């Protein structure tokens, strides 16, 4: 079983850009939606992602917080394109910038399209209590806020959020 231990933060300024050593374009969609998860009808999100020249089918358990079960399977890109056409909600388009900071790899997701304007940084850890050096561009932690999950952004994109949701 795969376990993902991840912390997620809003990005407050562009200080990370100079340190980014790679960028990967991504398009992803979900076979299920947030309503199925919230109702308990499904216990995992099922994502299709094309990232660069590769594609994956991903299954992630529905627990809130920084620790979840995660399974990732490579699929042919042509099949991933067909699966994206079956997804519910909108597609999530983003550019993932890879930034090394404090001995860890940070992934800074710069969202495009319906989620333009949102920039979120994630760091994967070896254990839930692992200490890490938080960069100055990593602002408020949103690990436990479901509206920042990509699954939620597919159904309710950032550009449609109210002022209260953005606060």
């Amino acid at each position: 079983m795969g376990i993902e231990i991840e912390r997620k933060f809003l990005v407050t300024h562009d200080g990370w850009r100079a340190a980014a050593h790679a960028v990967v374009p991504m398009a992803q969609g979900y076979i299920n939606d947030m309503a199925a998860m919230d109702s308990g009808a499904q216990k995992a999100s099922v994502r299709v992602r094309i990232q660069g020249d590769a594609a994956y089918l991903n299954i992630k358990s529905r627990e809130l917080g920084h620790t979840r079960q995660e399974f990732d399977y490579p699929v042919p890109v042509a099949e991933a394109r067909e699966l994206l056409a079956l997804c519910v909600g909108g597609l999530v388009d983003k550019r993932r910038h890879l930034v090394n900071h404090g001995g860890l790899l940070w992934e800074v997701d710069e969202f495009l399209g319906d989620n333009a304007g949102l920039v979120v940084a994630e760091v994967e850890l070896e254990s839930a209590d692992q200490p890490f050096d938080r960069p100055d561009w990593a602002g408020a932690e949103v690990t436990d806020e479901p509206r920042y999950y990509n699954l939620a952004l597919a159904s309710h994109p950032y550009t449609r959020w109210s002022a209260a949701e953005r606060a």
Side-chain angles (χ1 to χ4, degrees), residues 86-102:
L86 301 176
C87 290
V88 297
L91 294 182
V92 175
D93 288 317
K94 60 187 177 181
R95 288 188 188 110
R96 174 163 286 169
H97 303 266
L98 304 179
V99 178
N100 289 315
H101 178 84

Side-chain angles (χ1 to χ4, degrees), residues 8-167:
K8 187 180 293 214
F9 302 86
L10 294 179
V11 173
T12 58
H13 61 79
D14 284 345
W16 57 271
R17 287 191 187 275
H21 64 272
V23 61
V24 181
M26 295 184 171
Q28 63 190 47
Y30 292 86
I31 301 297
N32 57 337
D33 63 10
M34 199 68 180
M37 300 285 282
D38 288 344
S39 72
Q42 287 189 293
K43 295 180 182 181
S45 65
V46 181
R47 176 184 73 205
V48 178
R49 174 187 281 167
I50 299 175
Q51 66 183 63
D53 296 331
Y56 301 90
L57 184 64
N58 173 278
I59 302 165
K60 196 178 288 192
S61 64
R62 74 178 202 139
E63 293 97 354
L64 283 178
H66 52 66
T67 305
R68 295 182 279 178
Q69 295 176 55
E70 181 178 36
F71 306 90
D72 227 6
Y73 304 99
V75 296
V77 172
E79 289 180 19
R81 284 190 185 103
E82 291 178 25
L83 287 168
L84 283 175
L86 301 176
C87 290
V88 297
L91 294 182
V92 175
D93 288 317
K94 60 187 177 181
R95 288 188 188 110
R96 174 163 286 169
H97 303 266
L98 304 179
V99 178
N100 289 315
H101 178 84
L104 295 172
L105 179 65
W106 287 75
E107 298 172 340
V108 179
D109 288 343
E110 183 177 28
F111 290 87
L112 308 168
D114 287 341
N115 289 295
L118 180 61
V119 183
V120 175
E122 301 173 352
V123 63
E124 289 198 22
L125 305 172
E126 295 293 321
S127 66
D129 59 354
Q130 177 182 343
F132 61 94
D133 180 30
R134 187 165 153 180
D136 67 348
W137 40 262
E141 183 167 4
V142 294
T143 302
D144 296 327
E145 297 187 38
R147 71 180 180 264
Y148 291 100
Y149 290 6
N150 287 286
L151 175 63
L153 293 171
S155 301
H156 185 52
Y158 184 72
T159 57
R160 296 188 197 140
W161 287 13
S162 67
E165 288 172 307
R166 288 183 184 220

